[in-house]
Amino acid sequence: MSAPPPVPAGTPETTGNGDTARAALEALRSEIAKAVVGQDPAVTGLVVALLCRGHVLLEGVPGVAKTLLVRALAASLELDTKRVQFTPDLMPSDVTGSLVYDARTAEFSFQPGPVFTNLLLADEINRTPPKTQSSLLEAMEERQVTVDGTPRQLPDPFLVAATQNPVEYEGTYPLPEAQLDRFLLKLTVPLPSREDEIDVLIRHSGGFDPRDLKSAGIRPVAGAADLDAARDAVARTKVSPEIAGYVVDICRATRESPSLALGVSPRGATALLSTARAWAWLTGRDYVIPDDVKALALPTLRHRIQLRPEAEMEGVTPDSVITSVLAHVPVPR
């Protein structure tokens, strides 16, 4: 997945609001680039997740700007944001909130947790036990949390951006399959190229402070109204029966792969169609083509499949399985 090209001249768009929203989201990507170098696919993935009302799991080794990426996104949006550093002693109520006794009124009142925000950064989510990890399940799926039997709605928009380290296993707790499936995208944040790393060092030597994004010139360029208009435009993006069949064929092929113990579920197929529609709209079209599906297949599906132990021992990876499936499933004409 790469950055979408500029909108072609004369591209049909159903409303002017869609053009304005697309321009705002393009500006959003440019603002993030002021702080984060060489991570365009991850930036674009976050934008796709915003359009699809989905959540994102960012995976990469320490020091590749995972947290900075989400902080820069928050600084570029006129949205409320909160951060939770996940630790082994974090309790579910530390995320969702709890009832607090008020001695003045002799009553219990609800104290909202950090999950009551538009953009929640769940830093190092795999460092907390499954009990606390699962406290996010209801929030991610239902956009609400239930405390003492009372459901409480979360703000809209609501996005969880979680980070995890793929190489450090001591003191970590792998995410349950049920929770992994709630993430719309799993984005890998790789080490930068030599040129990008030089750029990072030059920026730092020039006074860039990742703890002070305002000094980098990042400002809010998009808000809730832009997201609403963009989501409306994405919802109008056309999907032909042939494209829907292509998505289903890809997902069914994973269930038949000899390298996999678990293939993509129907929820995964729905997610792939949603992200493909968002990608199509970002590239300036009001209809989905097979290339849109291919572009989003890896980040949408890689965390929804499970390798067989023998395949893993042979060096097979989720990405290689999905790439093989894409190469063998017939593309509609």
Side-chain angles (χ1 to χ4, degrees), residues 14-224:
T14 52
T15 67
N17 288 339
D19 289 331
T20 303
R22 187 187 289 111
L25 293 179
E26 284 296 316
L28 175 69
R29 296 173 59 253
S30 300
E31 287 297 305
I32 296 174
K34 293 178 181 179
V36 181
V37 179
Q39 300 293 356
D40 285 345
V43 173
T44 304
L46 285 168
V47 174
V48 168
L50 283 169
L51 292 175
C52 298
R53 292 182 170 87
H55 309 288
V56 175
L57 181 62
L58 293 166
E59 186 175 86
V61 299
V64 292
K66 299 186 299 296
T67 303
L68 178 61
L69 176 60
V70 181
R71 290 179 55 237
L73 173 67
S76 305
L77 287 168
E78 292 178 323
L79 298 175
D80 183 48
T81 180
K82 290 184 175 66
R83 174 182 175 181
V84 178
Q85 184 69 44
F86 280 72
T87 57
D89 60 348
L90 195 73
M91 299 297 292
S93 59
D94 295 330
V95 178
T96 61
S98 59
L99 295 176
V100 178
Y101 181 74
D102 189 340
R104 292 173 300 178
T105 61
E107 294 180 350
F108 285 93
S109 60
F110 178 67
Q111 183 66 37
V115 75
F116 286 85
T117 187
N118 297 122
L119 176 59
L120 177 67
L121 171 56
D123 218 354
E124 294 187 292
I125 191 173
N126 58 334
R127 286 200 169 277
T128 198
K131 182 178 180 180
T132 304
Q133 291 174 359
S134 65
S135 67
L136 282 175
L137 278 177
E138 182 185 14
M140 294 170 67
E141 184 67 20
E142 306 294 337
R143 300 302 201 269
Q144 68 176 28
V145 295
T146 302
V147 178
D148 195 34
T150 303
R152 304 174 191 275
Q153 292 296 319
L154 296 174
D156 184 41
F158 172 69
L159 180 144
V160 174
T163 69
Q164 71 174 7
N165 179 356
V167 297
E168 188 174 356
Y169 298 106
E170 185 175 351
T172 63
Y173 303 84
L175 294 178
E177 295 297 330
Q179 184 165 0
L180 278 173
D181 204 34
R182 262 65 176 189
F183 285 101
L184 180 73
L185 300 171
K186 180 181 179 182
L187 304 175
T188 56
V189 185
L191 290 166
S193 65
R194 182 176 184 273
E195 292 74 18
D196 288 336
E197 196 164 358
I198 291 173
D199 192 1
V200 170
L201 296 185
I202 291 175
R203 291 189 184 196
H204 278 260
S205 65
F208 171 72
D209 183 358
R211 293 175 293 273
D212 183 13
L213 294 179
K214 288 185 178 180
S215 66
I218 296 182
R219 58 188 178 84
V221 294

Side-chain angles (χ1 to χ4, degrees), residues 293-310:
V293 178
K294 292 180 179 180
L296 271 297
L298 284 177
T300 308
L301 304 181
R302 59 164 60 108
H303 56 297
R304 303 175 191 273
I305 60 178
Q306 187 174 16
L307 293 170
R308 294 186 184 277
E310 56 270 25

Side-chain angles (χ1 to χ4, degrees), residues 1 4-5 7 12 24 33 41-42 62 65 96 120 138 167 179 185 267 272 287 292 294 302 314 316 318 324:
M1 183 174 61
V7 179
T96 61
L120 177 67
E138 182 185 14
V167 297
Q179 184 165 0
L185 300 171
R267 177 188 289 158
L272 180 55
Y287 56 93
D292 300 323
K294 292 180 179 180
R302 59 164 60 108
E314 293 172 0
V316 177
S324 176

